[in-house]
Amino acid sequence: MELEFSGEVWHWRGPSPYHFVTVPPPHAAELEAVKRLVTYGWGMIPVAARIGGTPFTTSLFAKDGGFVLPVKDAVRVREGIEVGDTVEVHLTVEGPRPRR
């Protein structure tokens, strides 16, 4: 499954601060439909993502009935992304990752 969307980068200041982009509701519904087939636990969905010219792998987190995409600091720095910027995201849902 491949998805493309744009979203605003926001910062979560919890015990493990991180930056995220919220997956729009129509795409979140598509992801919810396949979640059981690809999750490796806690509703996490492994994805290959690309923002700008920077590809990376991560997992979508379930949040507030939808999903959020963590944006790694290395991606933000390379692409010059700041909190509040709107970015174009390309996602490819991957199968479950093997446990180590």
Side-chain angles (χ1 to χ4, degrees):
M1 167 187 281
E2 293 192 24
L3 303 172
E4 290 188 8
F5 60 90
S6 61
E8 184 177 324
V9 176
W10 54 275
H11 186 240
W12 184 66
R13 298 181 189 268
S16 297
Y18 223 90
H19 294 82
F20 295 92
V21 175
T22 301
V23 177
H27 294 307
E30 292 178 63
L31 291 163
E32 187 65 39
V34 300
K35 178 174 72 176
R36 290 188 348 195
L37 301 174
V38 297
T39 188
Y40 58 91
W42 307 291
M44 308 281 281
I45 298 176
V47 296
R50 187 180 73 247
I51 295 177
T54 306
F56 59 104
T57 58
T58 189
S59 293
L60 301 176
F61 293 25
K63 181 172 182 352
D64 299 330
F67 296 93
V68 295
L69 170 72
V71 180
K72 296 178 178 186
D73 286 342
V75 175
R76 287 187 319 98
V77 169
R78 184 171 186 176
E79 294 294 327
I81 298 168
E82 300 289 335
V83 170
D85 287 352
T86 298
V87 295
E88 296 293 322
V89 177
H90 179 89
L91 292 180
T92 301
V93 175
E94 299 181 328
R97 296 200 176 119
R99 295 178 192 236
R100 295 178 190 210

